[in-house]
Amino acid sequence: MSANDLIKVPNSLWHALKSIPIKRAAILQRAKLPASVVTQERKINTEQLFDLWDALESIVGPDIGLELTKTVNVTTLPPSFLVAYHAKDVGEALYRVARFIGLSTCVDVRIAIDGDDCCVTCNWPHAKRAEPNALTDSTYSFLVNMVRVGTGQRITPRCMDLCRSQSTDIQDWFDCPINWNAQEARLVFDRKDLSISFVSYNRELVEMLDAVLDADLQQSKQSKSLTEQVRWHLKRALAAGQPGLRSIARDLAISERSLQRHLKDEGQSFKSLLSDTRHLLACEYLSEKDRDIREVAYLLGYDNQRSFFRAFRKWERKTPTEWRSALVSGPEKVPIDH
């Protein structure tokens, strides 16, 4: 388990589960998790969190993510989520979730404005497999519910992409066009809705929570080695085609020269970290048989397929096609993230 891949299961989840006639022990047993997870005496990693949500879905049903959102009690939310309910407007609330969610879990919530769209997506940098559909439902229904509660209006998204099969309950609750069985999930708000005010706005409370959470966020960042931070930012930047030293240094609020010097002190270089990260992700993507090799090259930030093939030969002494064929015919050693 990576030192940075640690998650506290929030009390709000256990409180919400009280509305469901099933014992926690049964859920933990199905997920193969210890009872100490409930009391937060023990943190879990991303894979174990996914196991927990898989267990919930298999025991309760595919719509468990939405059902939990319907029963969540705002007062049980951790400060990193509670602060968003008291933001000035929809836009501020969404950006606060994106900023502080890392204090509670290892997900990276991205918010991108494109024309009239405000697109929300989630990335799990430590994940080795796809996010469980129930967890996606829970995250997106939480965000929409937060916006509805905060504004006092039944705001609906412009559209959604979900990787799951169709559900009448999900369709009715979100009340927007949904692209089912999509390759990647996303939630899209109307850009004009971002300026709608929250009736629950509390400037004094927000300022107080911001100060505390900012301090916690800074402490969390400082506790990670620069190497770990660079790896994390590289995973984010690769798909966007911006894995360069300059862009990563800008994300870390450090000069390029200082970044190179500190990495050298940790026995690393930016070039080697970029190569290692690409190698890791290449093997993960290629293990997904439905992914086209051209798409893999694009997701890794290569300008063309030829450059990707050349790099992959150096890593594995095989072409991506040969490596994938060997994986199908027998076990293949896949590099493990440091």
Side-chain angles (χ1 to χ4, degrees):
M1 180 189 302
S2 168
N4 297 317
D5 186 15
L6 295 173
I7 300 166
K8 282 186 178 180
V9 180
N11 282 329
S12 54
L13 175 60
W14 304 120
H15 280 289
L17 282 172
K18 290 180 179 179
S19 64
I20 298 173
I22 185 171
K23 294 183 178 180
R24 295 176 182 173
I27 299 171
L28 295 175
Q29 184 177 12
R30 179 70 63 88
K32 298 181 180 180
L33 293 174
S36 58
V37 171
V38 177
T39 61
Q40 296 197 28
E41 294 175 0
R42 173 175 172 174
K43 295 180 180 180
I44 61 178
N45 60 19
T46 298
E47 187 67 20
Q48 291 170 321
L49 179 70
F50 284 10
D51 288 341
L52 176 61
W53 279 95
D54 284 340
L56 285 169
E57 185 172 348
S58 65
I59 294 174
V60 184
D63 292 343
I64 179 60
L66 173 60
E67 293 305 314
L68 290 177
T69 292
K70 291 179 180 178
T71 61
V72 71
N73 185 337
V74 175
T75 62
T76 66
L77 294 173
S80 53
F81 290 108
L82 181 62
V83 66
Y85 275 83
H86 299 286
K88 184 178 181 180
D89 53 35
V90 173
E92 281 196 13
L94 292 174
Y95 279 105
R96 275 193 168 81
V97 170
R99 176 170 175 76
F100 295 125
I101 195 172
L103 292 172
S104 303
T105 188
C106 294
V107 65
D108 171 28
V109 174
R110 304 176 185 177
I111 299 176
I113 303 296
D114 182 12
D116 293 330
D117 292 343
C118 172
C119 183
V120 182
T121 55
C122 296
N123 175 55
W124 295 84
H126 299 286
K128 305 300 180 185
R129 58 187 174 98
E131 176 185 11
N133 292 326
L135 179 53
T136 304
D137 292 347
S138 175
T139 302
Y140 287 168
S141 58
F142 168 82
L143 292 175
V144 173
N145 189 63
M146 174 191 71
V147 168
R148 290 174 177 175
V149 171
T151 61
Q153 302 179 31
R154 184 175 171 77
I155 293 177
T156 60
R158 285 176 67 90
C159 61
M160 295 177 66
D161 290 343
L162 294 176
C163 303
R164 55 164 296 167
S165 58
Q166 189 168 354
S167 162
T168 300
D169 287 344
I170 294 286
Q171 180 70 71
D172 291 345
W173 193 85
F174 282 100
D175 194 23
C176 71
I178 299 178
N179 176 31
W180 305 96
N181 298 307
Q183 288 192 343
E184 294 181 333
R186 66 172 187 149
L187 170 66
V188 182
F189 287 99
D190 193 319
R191 184 176 183 176
K192 64 179 176 57
D193 289 341
L194 299 184
S195 60
I196 298 178
S197 299
F198 266 31
V199 296
S200 53
Y201 176 46
N202 186 324
R203 182 173 62 85
E204 291 77 12
L205 179 59
V206 167
E207 289 179 352
M208 180 185 70
L209 289 175
D210 272 351
V212 173
L213 293 171
D214 276 327
D216 289 345
L217 194 62
Q218 186 63 28
Q219 183 178 3
S220 176
K221 288 181 178 179
Q222 291 175 350
S223 68
K224 300 178 182 178
S225 70
L226 187 63
T227 296
E228 286 293 332
Q229 293 182 57
V230 171
R231 288 186 192 277
W232 188 82
H233 281 283
L234 279 171
K235 288 182 177 181
R236 290 184 59 191
L238 278 169
Q242 299 176 332
L245 175 65
R246 178 176 298 179
S247 63
I248 300 301
R250 183 174 62 249
D251 289 341
L252 291 168
I254 188 174
S255 71
E256 296 174 44
R257 181 174 296 180
S258 294
L259 175 56
Q260 291 175 312
R261 183 176 67 253
H262 288 308
L263 285 176
K264 184 177 180 180
D265 291 341
E266 295 181 9
Q268 299 286 350
S269 71
F270 182 81
K271 184 178 180 179
S272 65
L273 287 177
L274 176 58
S275 178
D276 289 347
T277 303
R278 277 175 159 161
H279 184 192
L280 170 72
L281 292 177
C283 292
E284 289 184 9
Y285 291 148
L286 288 171
S287 65
E288 301 172 17
K289 61 181 181 180
D290 293 332
R291 278 198 187 273
D292 185 82
I293 292 180
R294 287 172 296 181
E295 180 189 3
V296 174
Y298 168 77
L299 290 173
L300 295 176
Y302 286 101
D303 294 331
N304 55 69
Q305 192 172 334
R306 182 177 300 177
S307 298
F308 169 52
F309 269 60
R310 187 162 52 247
F312 198 86
R313 274 187 177 278
K314 290 183 179 179
W315 297 325
E316 295 289 332
R317 303 184 187 281
K318 297 177 182 177
T319 67
T321 304
E322 292 169 342
W323 188 92
R324 175 175 274 175
S325 297
L327 187 67
V328 173
S329 60
E332 180 79 25
K333 184 178 178 182
V334 177
I336 300 174
D337 198 4
H338 299 290

